[in-house]
Amino acid sequence: MPESLPAVRPKARPLRLVQVGSVEPRKRGGDLIRAVAAAGLDMECVLCGRVYELDEAARRLAEAEPSRFILTGEVPPETALAWIKSADISALVSESESQPVSVMEAARFGRPLLLSDLGIYRGIFTHGQSALMAPVGHVALLAANLALLAGNPGLRAQLGQAAAQAVRGFTAARFFLQFEAVIAGLAA
């Protein structure tokens, strides 16, 4: 991770939720927007990534409260990291993932995680121990998990520490070494 990160917009609300990734149907940013709205929390919801598509209901919610729902658009990787570091809660509620780098980065910063219950996380994150998870598309459960995290700073700290512990062996250098080994094996 870089030594210093660029400044991002200061928090204007008590809590900040950040999801890094393209805003498109597979990443389910609309679910996150609806969950924040349904939870009724005084929380910023930042979707950090290029906006390709956002469903109409979520778009209307975001446009009605631009200080609450912040769509940054595409940003450089260091700025995305800065947004993650500024978060009280980090999310990735997508319907599928293969290499959820933003989740690993958030965990390395010790941020509590709100994730979709996907197979990619098995053996790394466990619901209630190192993250809070919900089935894909279950907006009511996302909202309940958000409310639980928002109302319990101790749980946020506990889950953030557990997430950091879960990824302590995952580094970019290690990933690229393993990736290069796979490519070399395929090429041979």
Side-chain angles (χ1 to χ4, degrees):
M1 291 202 182
E3 290 292 317
S4 63
L5 296 172
V8 295
R9 179 180 180 170
K11 277 195 314 189
R13 294 176 183 263
L15 293 172
R16 175 176 281 168
L17 169 68
V18 175
Q19 176 164 296
V20 172
S22 300
V23 179
E24 43 96 0
R26 185 179 64 84
K27 295 290 187 179
R28 303 194 66 88
D31 288 356
L32 200 55
I33 289 172
R34 280 187 290 286
V36 169
L41 302 168
D42 192 9
M43 170 186 289
E44 291 177 345
C45 176
V46 180
L47 299 182
C48 186
R50 180 181 284 181
V51 179
Y52 289 102
E53 184 181 337
L54 186 61
D55 65 85
E56 184 65 24
R59 187 187 59 72
R60 280 195 310 267
L61 286 168
E63 288 175 352
E65 292 187 82
S67 67
R68 184 176 187 197
F69 299 105
I70 302 162
L71 282 71
T72 68
E74 188 171 16
V75 298
E78 297 80 20
T79 303
L81 277 175
W83 278 107
I84 292 169
K85 190 173 183 182
S86 78
D88 297 291
I89 302 166
S90 183
L92 191 57
V93 298
S94 54
E95 68 183 39
S96 66
E97 286 297 330
S98 60
Q99 293 294 327
V101 175
S102 67
V103 172
M104 299 301 182
E105 291 166 334
R108 289 182 66 206
F109 281 128
R111 298 304 179 256
L113 303 173
L114 180 64
L115 304 171
S116 295
D117 187 9
L118 301 176
I120 189 78
Y121 300 126
R122 288 191 184 86
I124 304 169
F125 301 113
T126 304
H127 175 71
Q129 293 178 13
S130 54
L132 291 184
M133 299 176 160
V136 173
H138 200 309
V139 174
L141 190 51
L142 284 175
N145 284 341
L146 276 173
L148 180 61
L149 288 171
N152 193 330
L155 179 62
R156 289 196 307 271
Q158 176 187 345
L159 290 176
Q161 289 169 0
Q165 186 68 20
V167 300
R168 73 180 186 283
F170 293 88
T171 64
R174 182 176 172 195
F175 168 78
F176 287 118
L177 281 173
Q178 291 173 335
F179 185 76
E180 288 170 4
V182 168
I183 296 300
L186 292 173

